[in-house]
Amino acid sequence: MDAVCLTTPFGRRAMTLALLTKHRQAEKALPDIKRNKWKLFRAVCEARNDLDVSDRSLTVLDALLSFYPSDELSASNSMIVFPSNTQLSVRARGMTAATLRRHLAALVDAGLILRKDSPNGKRFARRSSTGDVSEAFGFSLAPLLSRAQEIEAIAGRIAADRELLRSTREKISLCRREITKLISLAKEETIAGDWDALHDGFRSLLSALPRQPLLDQLQVLLMQLTQLRERIINQLEEHNNSRNMCANESQNERHIEDSKTNSCFESEGDYETSSRAPSSPRNEVDDRAGHQKKSHRGTQSIVPPSLSLDAVLRACPEIKHYSPGGSIKSWRDLVVAGSILGSMLQINQLGFKAACRSMGPENTAIVIAYIYERGGDIKSAGAYLKDLSRRACAGQFSVAPMLLSLLRARSGAEIGPRSIMPN
């Protein structure tokens, strides 16, 4: 149906129903929409695969935006730019006229610009006696502005998925390392168990992963590795508890025998040997993990275990409106909504990525939701997020008390820590 052409010409190309639809959508742009043209362009670059736009087409769009006189795109101003092919070619890195026409057509097909042709097909502007542009013919940037929220949502989802992918890969690497050390420890201590079979199962989980895994596949692998790690730790703990019980029983038997002889003396060496706690494989692993955690303070990306997604949504209910699906059912949905909301709060991608690296994507999304709930109390969302990221790196910040204060403010009553515990 989209390929049916109408009799009305549209420049050198016939107007199709698809182009007519895009033209009407651009005309419906709300007059209060305003966006920084370069920030919006970066969002288009982020979402270019979903928008089906090539890097060469983006070069042409960059050139067109450079002809717009203001840094702020506004529907209340003229959205028409009218450069000649020669001028456009210079700013498009010397692109030839034929290549320019092809990529301009691609931008029109992608719904990012529209042609507004003059009767003679030339691009120019008519000016009033005061020198202001009264009417212009060229390319309209109105579709780009009218789709700003859609483009920012796509870019936010892509950025959030990328940070989640990075975070998940890091968690998998740490989990793999710990499983390898635990199995090696069990073999060195000759602890009973089929450790070779566990190691083979561990290797089979890793080998089943595709060469370029998707985020969902990595999250499934992380869950499986976490379960395997807990299984190994439980076996080591059971062995350690059993050895401690045997040691206690032996000590009790010796104590009874010594009591029968009514001896009140024992050597200092025997006392030190009996009072020294046996080494624990679990404690050795915990010591190493604790040392690792101290050396990487502030880079943990795990949400506090006492914090549930339901508690976050009760404290910050407005963030659900920025989820692409209109609801938040998982931590991943929260991260995507946080990325989209962050762009609305003028938090740049560099600040968002830095926060994800210092406190994790989930905690970053919680902080952005908190900033939005506070409204006018926080003047600069970007500076506030940067400060919390710095404090998180120093181990001086946690999201749980912050959410608890919001829950207290909402209820108007005293709320205990139990209110943020998962159900």
Side-chain angles (χ1 to χ4, degrees):
M1 189 67 176
D2 289 350
V4 177
C5 296
L6 303 181
T7 56
T8 305
F10 193 62
R12 295 184 180 180
R13 304 177 64 203
M15 179 183 283
T16 63
L17 292 178
L19 288 177
L20 179 61
T21 301
K22 293 171 184 176
H23 185 77
R24 297 299 297 171
Q25 288 176 346
E27 291 177 344
K28 294 179 181 178
L30 298 177
D32 59 345
I33 293 180
K34 294 180 181 180
R35 290 293 187 276
N36 181 283
K37 64 181 181 181
W38 299 123
K39 289 183 178 180
L40 185 55
F41 176 72
R42 284 193 290 271
V44 173
C45 293
E46 188 80 68
R48 68 186 183 94
N49 290 331
D50 287 39
L51 297 174
D52 195 21
V53 179
S54 68
D55 53 348
R56 297 280 281 170
S57 296
L58 289 176
T59 301
V60 177
L61 180 61
D62 183 20
L64 286 174
L65 287 172
S66 68
F67 287 100
Y68 189 79
S70 173
D71 281 345
E72 186 177 73
L73 291 174
S74 175
S76 59
N77 300 328
S78 173
M79 301 292 293
I80 308 295
V81 291
F82 42 90
S84 66
N85 282 344
T86 302
Q87 293 173 320
L88 196 55
S89 176
V90 170
R91 297 197 188 183
R93 282 67 170 173
M95 193 176 290
T96 63
T99 307
L100 270 177
R101 287 194 294 271
R102 186 169 68 251
H103 290 294
L104 285 169
L107 290 173
V108 172
D109 292 339
L112 298 179
I113 63 172
L114 280 177
R115 299 176 187 269
K116 184 180 179 183
D117 286 330
S118 63
N120 62 2
K122 303 294 183 180
R123 299 174 211 142
F124 64 92
R126 293 194 179 103
R127 299 184 181 274
S128 63
S129 57
T130 59
D132 297 330
V133 175
S134 59
E135 189 175 13
F137 302 94
F139 297 102
S140 172
L141 300 174
L144 179 65
L145 184 60
S146 65
R147 298 181 63 188
Q149 291 184 354
E150 175 195 350
I151 293 170
E152 289 166 347
I154 295 173
R157 174 180 55 79
I158 293 173
D161 281 350
R162 183 173 58 247
E163 289 304 315
L164 277 175
L165 187 69
R166 179 195 61 80
S167 175
T168 305
R169 285 184 180 275
E170 289 180 354
K171 294 175 186 177
I172 288 175
S173 297
L174 293 173
C175 197
R176 287 176 57 182
R177 194 179 308 162
E178 188 171 354
I179 289 175
T180 302
K181 290 181 179 180
L182 287 170
I183 293 178
S184 299
L185 178 63
K187 289 182 176 181
E188 290 173 3
E189 297 289 334
T190 62
I191 298 173
D194 195 354
W195 301 111
D196 289 333
L198 281 174
H199 188 264
D200 291 341
F202 167 59
R203 299 303 305 176
S204 65
L205 287 177
L206 299 179
S207 61
L209 199 66
R211 193 173 190 84
Q212 293 183 336
L214 301 175
L215 176 60
D216 293 338
Q217 294 171 320
L218 287 175
Q219 288 178 330
V220 170
L221 176 63
L222 178 60
M223 180 186 67
Q224 293 171 334
L225 292 179
T226 302
Q227 292 173 350
L228 179 59
R229 180 184 59 187
E230 291 302 318
R231 178 182 170 187
I232 296 172
I233 290 175
N234 289 338
Q235 284 189 242
L236 294 178
E237 285 182 338
E238 288 176 3
H239 171 79
N240 184 57
N241 293 336
S242 175
R243 189 168 64 175
N244 286 340
M245 289 179 62
C246 292
N248 291 336
E249 289 175 0
S250 175
Q251 185 176 0
N252 291 337
E253 289 175 0
R254 286 187 57 195
H255 178 70
I256 293 173
E257 291 175 359
D258 291 343
S259 299
K260 289 180 180 179
T261 61
N262 294 322
S263 173
C264 60
F265 299 99
E266 61 182 359
S267 67
E268 183 178 353
D270 291 341
Y271 176 77
E272 290 178 354
T273 302
S274 63
S275 62
R276 186 182 296 116
S279 63
S280 166
R282 171 65 172 168
N283 291 339
E284 293 176 5
V285 174
D286 286 344
D287 291 341
R288 287 196 296 268
H291 176 74
Q292 184 182 16
K293 185 176 180 181
K294 290 179 181 178
S295 63
H296 295 80
R297 176 180 286 183
T299 60
Q300 302 301 316
S301 61
I302 300 174
V303 177
S306 62
L307 196 60
S308 68
L309 182 60
D310 177 66
V312 175
L313 296 179
R314 282 190 287 114
C316 308
E318 294 299 322
I319 193 172
K320 67 177 180 293
H321 300 301
Y322 294 89
S323 176
S327 63
I328 296 177
K329 299 179 181 179
S330 65
W331 288 107
R332 180 182 179 182
D333 293 342
L334 182 72
V335 174
V336 173
S339 176
I340 296 171
L341 182 56
S343 65
M344 300 289 185
L345 295 174
Q346 303 301 313
I347 297 174
N348 58 42
Q349 286 298 317
L350 291 178
F352 178 79
K353 291 178 182 178
C356 288
R357 284 181 172 84
S358 62
M359 63 177 117
E362 297 91 348
N363 288 333
T364 301
I366 293 174
V367 171
I368 291 175
Y370 172 82
I371 293 173
Y372 187 70
E373 293 291 336
R374 290 283 303 273
D377 295 340
I378 299 175
K379 295 182 179 179
S380 174
Y384 190 81
L385 181 63
K386 182 178 180 180
D387 179 64
L388 292 187
S389 300
R390 178 185 56 80
R391 290 169 56 190
C393 287
Q396 300 172 351
F397 170 71
S398 174
V399 296
M402 182 178 69
L403 287 181
L404 185 60
S405 65
L406 269 183
L407 286 171
R408 283 176 174 163
R410 287 189 177 282
S411 65
E414 195 69 20
I415 298 178
R418 293 175 179 267
S419 62
I420 62 173
M421 293 291 288
N423 296 328

